[in-house]
Amino acid sequence: MTLLELQKTLKEKVRSKASEICGEPVSEVAVEVPPKTEFGDIAFPIAFELAKTLKAQTGEKQNPRAIAESIKSDILEFDFVEDIQIAGPGYLNVFYKRSLLLESALEDTPGTVKGIEKQKICVEHTSVNPNKAAHIGHLRNAVLGDTFVRLLRAAGNQVEVQNYIDNTGVQVADVVVGFIHLEKLELEKIKALDRKLTESGKRFDHFCWDLYARVGVEYQHNEDLLSKRAETLHLIEEGDNETALLADFVATRNVECILETMERLSIRYDLLPRESEILHLHFWQKAFELMKEKNAIHLAENGKHAGCWVMPFESHEGSDEHENDKILVRSNGTVTYTGKDIAYQMWKLGLLGLDFKYRHFTDYQNGKEVWITTADESAAEKTAVSYGGAARVYNVIDTRQSYPQQVVKKGVALIFPEKGEDASVHLSYEMVALSPAAAEELGFELTDEDRSKSFIEMSGRKGLGVKAEDMIDRLEENAFHEVRERNPDLDEPKQREIAAQIAIGALRYFLLKFTKNTVIVFDFKEATAFEGETGTYCQNATVRLNSIFRKLGTEALEAALGSVPSRSKEFSKLFGEDDGNELWSVVILALRLEETIHQSIAQSEPAIIAKYTFNLARTSNLFYQKHRILDEPDPDKKALLIAVAETARKALTSALSTMGVSIPERM
RNA sequence: GCACCCGUAGCUCAGUUGGAUAGAGUGCUUGACUACGAAUCAAGAGGUCAUAGGUUCGAAUCCUGUCGGGUGCACCA
């Protein structure tokens, strides 16, 4: 029996008894985790609730402690319950049978859910404009998204990961303008440049990063170049010309670079849907028809939106003109970004009635394939799976896009009321900004006004930001120095491998430990720390446990774990002794992993699993420091210590893997 | 102007549907390695939870006002 099942059973028992006491059905029973292990393993504040209900019924004041007392006897008979105490003003605190739960903890692999595949869920994340390298803000998106995917999968869901490629937007056009009009390069020359960059260990996306910033500067005093931008954008959208081919090469190369960067962080995708296909396969036209059919959209006849097709954002009566109407088709007949997004969202939910064509894009080292969309019939390949058509869609997009995301959600719900707004979830998060000190460290000159700010927004257009690759390289280098010092006996490739694992662990944890709506004000010192509340700390706690087991040997380990059921009586006794609570707190925390994963999903908040993992590592380190497992003379005690260490090791390994953090052999 | 988010220790942040003595990390002051590897552990100092009211058995948490900070409100993407 898992902790969640046990909790459910207890809740039901309390609920039925509570209904009996107050004479009317009680719907939901609240549960809490007591602040200290000594107070018990699960607490029901039900008596306070009942006292209120009874007072309302009879007008008489009731003592919550007395009510709690009357519920107590019913639960006490249950197998897994050791004791129940009435504490404080009337808490019903339940103590589990520790040795019994330890046994089930060793049987179950925590965090993995057996059973049937649930509905298909689609998660879109990363979606970096393919005109430059990714920066740490994009990493926050990707790490949040990837971790959320891992959480969903750990909970038994079927998940498809999409990385949307906006390959026909102005941002790509800007870099293309840079290549053609500033660098004076045509396609073949750009390809040669790309080869030269690669040979000298430089990156194409970093070249584009600088070029994009240069174009931005030029625009400010070069009217002529600005007109080239509109021209270029038009040619790219139209397709089938030299500029479009050049743009396609640039965008595709940037996508390849970004995918490389993300794979360093173990972030992978199933499908790359592109904006060009949404255009060329006429997704919008289809969505437009559907919207007109359902009267979700209308043509504004007068006012400032005259000649545009608009969607009413708030329900309103009377005139056809409204402040909050959202324009989906401009008066010149072209569709806005939000319009295309509605069509794309409908496809994701399987509501559009059209599909992309696909071709194989690339393979990951682990053999997994990435596919990309195409409009080209002759290039299309047969897919092994069908994409899109998800029951629920999560879009990982920063909070600044809350408004357009809400329009998309409402738009889809207007056309398909039966699907509703709940099928589209905007997983929104705050941005990563730079501290003024960090911006100066990157070599940017700040005005006095900038310096007085608490943070400075990153800007691709200005080239202001910490590039993802630079960040990872820096972390790896720092980690490598430490690893080399601590493990001089290892060869350099091994040291590098471990350093990479530590760097990624530190980076992913750093980006996950903040809750979504906290602005991360990036600071190099904090972000590169390997001590304190870091991914490194969590990895180290696990490595230490692993090293105990390595010294112990597989046979001795299995023998100890195998003997657990037969030592049940001795374990009960040991759990009751001085350090029993402290040993038990490791086990019960490890058992809460499954519950934590569910919580993290329900609240769409990956920080919950991160904080949990750190807590578990801390509890485990405390245990590690206090007990000498290998030197323990008492065989019963030794078996117990091994079993406790094993539950912690399993839960830590599983929790870290859910965060995409791997565990080095040594560190 | 309207909408949304935020204000908790010197600093960076957690704090579950309202619950038990408001917690971590970091920095500071101390102490612990001939090691199941100290990227660790222990101890100490550090708080009027921005502010004023309200709701109730109970509020950092819910409601209202005020002050301070952020973001969004394009026929950009």
Side-chain angles (χ1 to χ4, degrees):
Chain A
M1 181 174 258
T2 70
L3 204 59
L4 269 182
E5 288 160 353
L6 177 52
Q7 184 173 310
K8 207 174 150 193
T9 313
L10 284 175
K11 263 173 98 167
E12 183 50 35
K13 281 179 188 289
V14 171
R15 196 193 64 79
S16 70
K17 183 68 184 176
S19 307
E20 194 182 302
I21 289 173
C22 72
E24 57 183 76
V26 174
S27 57
E28 188 61 23
V29 176
V31 288
E32 283 170 39
V33 176
K36 286 182 178 175
T37 321
E38 297 94 281
F39 292 174
D41 300 313
I42 185 167
F44 294 93
I46 183 79
F48 307 121
E49 200 67 35
L50 287 181
K52 200 187 282 182
T53 319
L54 289 174
K55 193 186 167 193
Q57 281 175 359
T58 62
E60 278 173 52
K61 248 184 156 176
Q62 300 278 337
N63 184 354
R65 287 190 69 103
I67 299 171
E69 202 67 46
S70 63
I71 301 174
K72 181 176 165 180
S73 57
D74 272 41
I75 321 172
L76 204 48
E77 297 158 7
F78 190 43
D79 272 357
F80 283 82
V81 172
E82 175 78 38
D83 191 20
I84 294 177
Q85 289 174 9
I86 312 298
Y91 282 100
L92 195 70
N93 288 349
V94 179
F95 293 78
Y96 294 146
K97 280 217 172 92
R98 297 176 169 182
S99 55
L100 213 56
L101 266 125
L102 177 62
E103 275 178 49
S104 62
L106 292 168
E107 282 161 20
D108 294 318
T109 307
T112 57
V113 179
K114 324 142 272 269
I116 35 135
E117 285 259 299
K118 300 183 185 164
Q119 294 172 310
K120 177 170 174 179
I121 296 176
C122 173
V123 178
E124 180 202 323
H125 66 78
T126 309
S127 306
V128 182
N129 274 311
N131 70 328
K132 55 165 189 313
H135 60 56
I136 46 172
H138 301 120
L139 285 187
R140 185 179 196 181
N141 181 306
V143 168
L144 275 175
D146 181 65
T147 303
F148 197 66
V149 168
R150 288 166 188 267
L151 284 164
L152 287 171
R153 285 183 176 149
N157 295 287
Q158 185 201 342
V159 187
E160 177 178 308
V161 189
Q162 297 181 8
N163 176 4
Y164 179 68
I165 312 293
D166 185 0
N167 59 341
T168 54
V170 280
Q171 315 223 30
V172 170
D174 285 340
V175 177
V176 171
V177 166
F179 273 116
I180 297 176
H181 300 285
L182 296 184
E183 291 288 319
K184 313 276 184 209
L185 295 175
E186 75 232 10
L187 183 54
E188 285 313 311
K189 293 246 176 76
I190 296 173
K191 285 183 178 172
L193 170 74
D194 180 30
R195 282 193 293 272
K196 218 177 105 192
L197 286 168
T198 308
E199 277 162 22
S200 56
K202 293 190 179 132
R203 298 180 57 93
F204 185 77
D205 58 342
H206 286 192
F207 183 88
C208 291
W209 173 283
D210 294 331
L211 183 58
Y212 182 45
R214 270 169 59 207
V215 172
V217 171
E218 278 291 316
Y219 278 157
Q220 285 170 13
H221 55 81
N222 191 338
E223 291 276 325
D224 190 43
L225 202 66
L226 259 176
S227 69
K228 295 277 195 264
R229 172 207 235 176
E231 200 178 288
T232 306
L233 185 59
H234 180 72
L235 284 167
I236 293 173
E237 277 184 9
E238 205 177 52
D240 207 20
N241 57 67
E242 269 182 41
T243 304
L245 276 174
L246 194 153
D248 186 54
F249 176 78
V250 171
T252 303
R253 273 300 290 136
N254 275 307
V255 169
E256 284 168 358
C257 288
I258 292 164
L259 254 57
E260 258 174 49
T261 302
M262 295 306 169
E263 196 177 9
R264 287 180 83 179
L265 290 144
S266 310
I267 298 172
R268 304 184 181 94
Y269 313 90
D270 297 307
L271 181 68
L272 312 174
R274 298 193 299 183
E275 188 181 35
S276 52
E277 273 73 64
I278 291 180
L279 283 174
H280 296 140
L281 295 171
H282 312 296
F283 274 29
W284 165 246
Q285 277 84 339
K286 183 72 194 276
F288 193 25
E289 281 166 31
L290 288 168
M291 292 187 95
K292 282 192 277 196
E293 260 174 48
K294 303 271 172 110
N295 284 322
I297 192 169
H298 66 271
L299 182 64
E301 283 168 11
N302 45 46
K304 61 174 182 176
H305 295 163
C308 301
W309 284 89
V310 299
M311 194 184 98
F313 188 57
E314 284 160 359
S315 61
H316 60 277
E317 322 242 318
S319 77
D320 60 1
E321 174 69 14
H322 195 271
E323 277 287 311
N324 288 323
D325 282 355
K326 181 70 194 168
I327 293 166
L328 298 185
V329 180
R330 303 181 189 105
S331 54
N332 68 3
T334 56
V335 59
T336 62
Y337 184 84
T338 310
K340 280 180 273 190
D341 228 19
I342 290 176
Y344 175 34
Q345 185 77 4
M346 282 168 56
W347 171 80
K348 284 178 180 171
L349 289 164
L351 302 172
L352 188 65
L354 284 178
D355 197 8
F356 291 108
K357 298 187 192 319
Y358 305 91
R359 66 184 167 80
H360 175 254
F361 185 68
T362 184
D363 291 324
Y364 287 117
Q365 283 163 8
N366 68 2
K368 234 189 86 170
E369 295 181 342
V370 198
W371 285 60
I372 194 164
T373 58
T374 179
D376 182 357
E377 194 84 51
S378 61
E381 298 170 49
K382 202 167 157 46
T383 59
V385 292
S386 68
Y387 296 103
R392 183 189 279 254
V393 171
Y394 288 89
N395 293 327
V396 184
I397 307 177
D398 83 75
T399 183
R400 286 170 294 193
Q401 304 244 21
S402 293
Y403 173 64
Q405 275 297 301
Q406 216 172 331
V407 175
V408 168
K409 177 202 274 244
K410 289 214 171 188
V412 173
L414 269 176
I415 314 166
F416 298 97
E418 69 279 10
K419 196 76 183 177
E421 292 190 18
D422 292 344
S424 311
V425 182
H426 175 203
L427 207 157
S428 111
Y429 63 94
E430 266 291 356
M431 61 179 147
V432 182
L434 298 172
S435 67
E440 288 190 311
E441 201 175 325
L442 286 166
F444 283 86
E445 286 186 20
L446 299 182
T447 62
D448 286 342
E449 196 197 336
D450 284 338
R451 256 189 288 268
S452 70
K453 288 181 179 171
S454 55
F455 61 81
I456 296 166
E457 207 173 327
M458 289 194 285
S459 162
R461 193 167 291 281
K462 292 179 190 158
L464 176 55
V466 180
K467 293 198 263 302
E469 286 284 332
D470 292 349
M471 185 66 208
I472 303 170
D473 288 346
R474 185 163 174 161
L475 278 162
E476 280 190 4
E477 208 48 41
N478 291 353
F480 175 67
H481 286 298
E482 294 289 330
V483 173
R484 195 171 50 182
E485 210 163 282
R486 290 162 204 258
N487 303 281
D489 56 312
L490 295 177
D491 57 10
E492 191 179 322
K494 192 71 202 171
Q495 290 172 340
R496 293 264 175 211
E497 185 193 323
I498 294 169
Q501 287 178 292
I502 292 170
I504 299 308
L507 185 52
R508 288 191 65 130
Y509 188 89
F510 175 77
L511 292 169
L512 286 171
K513 73 172 176 178
F514 299 91
T515 49
K516 289 176 305 178
N517 49 12
T518 297
V519 176
I520 299 182
V521 181
F522 185 85
D523 175 87
F524 278 104
K525 202 175 160 215
E526 268 179 66
T528 55
F530 293 139
E531 286 165 15
E533 196 199 335
T534 61
T536 316
Y537 179 98
C538 300
Q539 286 173 316
N540 189 44
T542 319
V543 168
R544 296 165 106 189
L545 292 177
N546 279 336
S547 98
I548 296 177
F549 291 140
R550 194 167 45 242
K551 296 228 162 151
L552 188 65
T554 321
E555 270 180 48
L557 174 63
E558 276 170 12
L561 295 178
S563 75
V564 168
S566 64
R567 296 183 201 259
S568 168
K569 232 172 136 185
E570 290 76 10
F571 281 7
S572 294
K573 187 164 163 284
L574 288 165
F575 271 132
E577 287 174 1
D578 289 347
D579 50 8
N581 279 334
E582 181 247 318
L583 292 176
W584 172 242
S585 64
V586 179
V587 179
I588 187 79
L589 191 58
L591 279 166
R592 291 199 216 278
L593 173 61
E594 187 188 3
E595 187 184 339
T596 306
I597 288 173
H598 285 285
Q599 239 178 59
S600 234
I601 293 170
Q603 297 180 36
S604 309
E605 181 52 274
I608 293 174
I609 187 81
K611 293 281 175 189
Y612 165 86
T613 309
F614 174 66
N615 263 324
L616 183 58
R618 222 158 43 90
T619 309
S620 164
N621 267 341
L622 182 72
F623 160 79
Y624 175 93
Q625 199 85 14
K626 209 162 173 179
H627 302 278
R628 306 252 117 197
I629 296 178
L630 296 181
D631 304 337
E632 177 56 47
D634 175 8
D636 288 328
K637 181 81 181 269
K638 187 168 180 176
L640 177 59
L641 292 176
I642 290 170
V644 170
E646 171 64 6
T647 57
R649 193 193 62 80
K650 264 169 53 171
L652 270 171
T653 307
S654 174
L656 282 168
S657 135
T658 304
M659 290 194 293
V661 177
S662 62
I663 296 151
E665 282 169 45
R666 293 168 52 174
M667 59 190 284

